[in-house]
């Protein structure tokens, strides 16, 4: 499966050790609410990349100085189930994470 960039979010502040912990706390709390296993870990070679997987979907969150990119890979059958509603929900979750971890000071409308 090939990783494809699906979203890009502008951020006001870069990744720090404190924000990394806030990201982990947010994901851990969301994982407890999920109806399937969610696994996440930071890349061993690039500390600005977070890997998240919820089978069969694999996501990379790439933290850069002024943007966060969301890349994902999934088999064709799973991509067909990724409706506009689910895309919107995912985008809102990422924006909530960025707000909670203080990468941004205001959540996007919608």
């Amino acid at each position: 499966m090939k990783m494809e960039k699906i979203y890009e979010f502008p951020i006001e502040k870069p990744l720090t050790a404190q924000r990394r912990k806030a990201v982990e706390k947010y994901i851990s709390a969301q994982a407890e609410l999920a109806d399937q296993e969610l696994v996440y870990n930071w890349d061993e070679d690039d500390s600005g990349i977070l890997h998240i997987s919820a089978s069969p979907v694999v996501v990379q969150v790439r933290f850069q100085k002024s943007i966060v990119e969301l890349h994902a890979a999934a088999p064709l059958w799973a991509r067909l189930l990724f409706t506009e509603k689910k895309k919107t929900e995912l985008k809102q979750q990422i924006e909530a994470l960025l707000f909670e971890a203080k990468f941004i000071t205001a959540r996007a409308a919608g």
Side-chain angles (χ1 to χ4, degrees), residues 20 40-51 60-61:
R20 178 190 287 254
Y40 64 94
N41 64 304
W42 294 94
D43 193 278
E44 292 179 12
D45 297 324
D46 186 337
S47 62
I49 297 178
L50 175 64
H51 302 277
Q60 283 185 353
V61 184

Side-chain angles (χ1 to χ4, degrees), residues 3-8 62 67 69-72:
M3 283 283 183
E4 295 180 40
K5 184 166 118 176
I6 57 174
Y7 290 117
E8 183 176 293
R62 298 178 185 178
I67 62 169
E69 295 179 345
L70 188 67
H71 296 252

Side-chain angles (χ1 to χ4, degrees), residues 59-100:
V59 174
Q60 283 185 353
V61 184
R62 298 178 185 178
F63 293 87
Q64 298 176 21
K65 185 177 179 179
S66 60
I67 62 169
V68 171
E69 295 179 345
L70 188 67
H71 296 252
L76 178 60
W77 65 266
R79 285 184 285 168
L80 294 173
L81 299 174
F82 197 50
T83 63
E84 286 303 315
K85 181 180 177 184
K86 291 186 186 281
K87 288 178 187 178
T88 299
E89 290 171 0
L90 174 61
K91 189 173 184 180
Q92 290 171 341
Q93 281 295 324
I94 298 299
E95 288 170 340
L97 177 148
L98 295 174
F99 177 75
E100 292 295 322

Side-chain angles (χ1 to χ4, degrees), residues 19-42 50-53 93-94 96-97 100-101:
R19 286 191 189 90
R20 178 190 287 254
K21 288 180 183 176
V23 166
E24 292 172 1
K25 182 178 176 183
Y26 184 89
I27 293 173
S28 181
Q30 294 303 309
E32 290 178 12
L33 301 174
D35 38 338
Q36 70 181 79
E37 184 180 10
L38 182 73
V39 178
Y40 64 94
N41 64 304
W42 294 94
L50 175 64
H51 302 277
I52 304 171
S53 56
Q93 281 295 324
I94 298 299
L97 177 148
E100 292 295 322

